[in-house]
Amino acid sequence: MSLSNEQIIDAIAGKSLVEVMELVKALEEKFGVSAAAPVAMAAGPAAGPAAAAEEQTEFSVGIKSIGDKKVEVIKVVRAITGLGLKEAKDLVESAPAVVKDAVSKEDADKLKKDLETAGATVEVK
């Protein structure tokens, strides 16, 4: 029986970031490809007084400290950002640092949960 794309996406959405990261690695190995894409870390647009009155729709997820499980935090950061091992390690070691900008409230909460599960202290702005 063949699964539809929607069924596959729903199955992946139910997994933790660590499980998705392991799936991506397995797919990369099986098909000989890389899912890593260049990611440019840029500051979001400056919010003026009018933007402050509106409800915030985009959030930044950042690591305040990495805690005792540095390797686990690096793995989750790699899954979130698509960075390579060295880049993810450098980002984690530069804490406090922004991991992901301009994400929805729902995504920010999920990323925060995954990072905290890995042992990091997280801040959502």
Side-chain angles (χ1 to χ4, degrees):
M1 182 177 116
S2 178
L3 297 175
S4 72
N5 288 346
E6 187 173 317
Q7 290 171 318
I8 294 169
I9 291 169
D10 289 341
I12 292 171
K15 296 189 175 291
S16 72
L17 276 177
V18 173
E19 291 172 322
V20 172
M21 182 183 71
E22 291 169 354
L23 174 64
V24 168
K25 184 176 180 182
L27 290 170
E28 287 175 338
E29 289 174 3
K30 175 154 179 91
F31 297 107
V33 297
S34 175
V39 177
M41 293 296 207
E54 297 176 17
E55 183 177 339
Q56 186 175 355
T57 58
E58 292 185 344
F59 298 85
S60 295
V61 179
I63 297 176
K64 290 170 65 175
S65 69
I66 57 176
D68 295 333
K69 300 179 184 176
K70 179 177 169 182
V71 173
E72 294 301 316
V73 174
I74 291 171
K75 287 179 181 179
V76 174
V77 168
R78 285 189 70 200
I80 291 170
T81 62
L83 293 173
L85 180 59
K86 180 178 180 354
E87 292 82 6
K89 180 180 177 277
D90 291 345
L91 177 65
V92 168
E93 289 176 343
S94 70
V98 174
V99 175
K100 193 85 170 177
D101 265 333
V103 295
S104 69
K105 177 68 173 162
E106 180 181 297
D107 289 342
D109 290 340
K110 181 168 176 30
L111 297 176
K112 178 180 179 183
K113 178 181 170 246
D114 290 337
L115 285 164
E116 286 178 341
T117 300
T121 304
V122 181
E123 179 179 40
V124 176
K125 294 182 186 177

